Amino acid sequence: MPASYHEEALKAQAVAARTRVLNQMDNGGCTTHPGTDVCVDSSCCQGYATMTQCREKWGEETELYRLRILGAVRETMDEHLTYEGQIITVMYHAMSGGRTEDAAAVFSSSVPYLTSVESHGEESARGFFTENTFSYEEMARLINQSYPDMEATATTLRRDFTIVSYTDTGRVGQVSIGEKKMDATKLRKALGLRSTWFSITSDGEGVTFQQRGYGHGVGMSQVGANSMASQGAGYGEILTHYYPGVDMGELE
């Protein structure tokens, strides 16, 4: 989450990040790094920036942003999220596109506090709508690189690449590549798309993806949290909006 975001959004992020770590500590830690509670790979656990990286990014505002982040952490000290007395599994993403996604549509299992909710005020954010264009040859190479069993070819993609299903929120569920079907979540990973909330246009050269939002869409939208905070919501209200039914707990 950008350090320039509203302080209540930063507090919500601090509680979410702390909850993620506590949950993993209770459940065996990082699955890809044995003996580790949480790793710093954002595609696995949680992203992390060293102070050297922060200085390179923030420049003259480094101290201001550092103090804002530390303030959010200290003012929420020990606070974390629980559901029916258990520390929750936290998901969050950059920008939902206007509505978050149900966990079952992305991770194939339903979670009572990771359901779809409205996320207002995102439309003006930079990157709300984006486009990416791929040639058929490039698409085939990238898809086969991640999922060789798809056996994609430029010819097949040119002849038959279509959207075949949508999730309840309007995101793409599956696409067809010839006679095979591919989950949109896998396609997003293979092509590096920002979101599965997309439409497509194609011609003889390739395919253009018109995308909405950024991330898997499950849990708290960081842009949405900032919008809620800017409208006067406190961090507790933000968290209970994006994680319905949860309670705020404190470490003993």
Side-chain angles (χ1 to χ4, degrees), residues 75-124:
E75 290 178 42
T76 62
M77 188 66 69
D78 292 338
E79 293 181 332
H80 59 282
L81 301 173
T82 64
Y83 183 82
E84 296 184 345
Q86 301 297 312
I87 298 173
I88 73 168
T89 299
V90 165
M91 297 286 176
Y92 52 82
H93 56 281
M95 179 168 33
S96 75
R99 172 173 279 278
T100 66
E101 182 62 285
D102 192 294
V106 179
F107 303 107
S108 301
S109 60
S110 181
V111 182
Y113 48 81
L114 293 177
T115 56
S116 177
V117 299
E118 294 287 344
S119 187
H120 298 293
E122 297 187 3
E123 296 81 4
S124 61

Side-chain angles (χ1 to χ4, degrees), residues 150-188:
M150 291 303 300
E151 299 178 326
T153 67
T155 299
T156 302
L157 289 166
R158 185 179 289 106
R159 184 179 65 246
D160 184 13
F161 176 71
T162 56
I163 295 171
V164 296
S165 68
Y166 295 88
T167 70
D168 290 342
T169 64
R171 292 170 171 84
V172 176
Q174 286 188 320
V175 297
S176 68
I177 300 175
E179 297 181 354
K180 296 188 176 183
K181 293 182 179 179
M182 184 178 194
D183 290 343
T185 52
K186 293 182 177 179
L187 181 69
R188 174 180 175 245

Side-chain angles (χ1 to χ4, degrees), residues 7 41 102 215 231:
E7 60 182 7
D41 179 354
D102 192 294
Q231 296 298 315

Side-chain angles (χ1 to χ4, degrees), residues 61-80:
E61 296 179 306
T62 296
E63 187 62 13
L64 169 64
Y65 287 160
R66 186 183 74 86
L67 292 176
R68 296 189 86 232
I69 292 172
L70 288 177
V73 172
R74 288 169 178 159
E75 290 178 42
T76 62
M77 188 66 69
D78 292 338
E79 293 181 332
H80 59 282

